[in-house]
Amino acid sequence: MTDSLNKCKANDTPACCCVDVGTIIDNEDCTAEYEHVFTIESEAQAKLASLTQAAKAVATEPCEINSSIDKVEGGFKLTAKFTFCCGAECLIFQLKLR
């Protein structure tokens, strides 16, 4: 029989296998990326505006946004990268998009 206390990892509390939030949100990944092909360019522009507004609503400090809309076979490809000041903001942004 295995001892369940030995299955805990990272900064778990042995009594309940709870994980310290710093183990999950460690501020190493503060960037969210989005990529999608739209039929018309105005749809891609509207989506970028929507994403930008969502990012600004979450960010406590200005979010760095790098984006492009390129004509590709089948439409217009929107590629966007949102870099937040911390991992928690990035996670909240990603959850708001679901």
Side-chain angles (χ1 to χ4, degrees), residues 13-52:
T13 304
C16 67
C17 287
C18 299
V19 177
D20 176 48
V21 75
T23 303
I24 299 168
I25 303 174
D26 58 7
N27 286 332
E28 287 187 18
D29 185 13
C30 299
T31 302
E33 296 182 4
Y34 179 87
E35 189 175 280
H36 187 77
V37 176
F38 295 88
T39 307
I40 57 176
E41 187 174 12
S42 62
E43 289 177 334
Q45 292 170 339
K47 183 63 175 182
L48 177 58
S50 169
L51 292 169
T52 300

Side-chain angles (χ1 to χ4, degrees), residues 50-61 63 65 84 89 92-93 96:
S50 169
L51 292 169
T52 300
Q53 183 178 3
K56 288 180 178 180
V58 168
T60 56
E61 295 180 17
C63 173
I65 303 170
F84 294 88
E89 290 179 357
I92 292 167
F93 173 71
K96 287 184 99 172

Side-chain angles (χ1 to χ4, degrees), residues 49-83:
S50 169
L51 292 169
T52 300
Q53 183 178 3
K56 288 180 178 180
V58 168
T60 56
E61 295 180 17
C63 173
E64 181 182 328
I65 303 170
N66 295 305
S67 64
S68 65
I69 298 174
D70 302 307
K71 185 161 180 44
V72 296
E73 186 178 327
F76 294 86
K77 180 179 176 182
L78 167 61
T79 304
K81 184 187 248 186
F82 301 85
T83 304

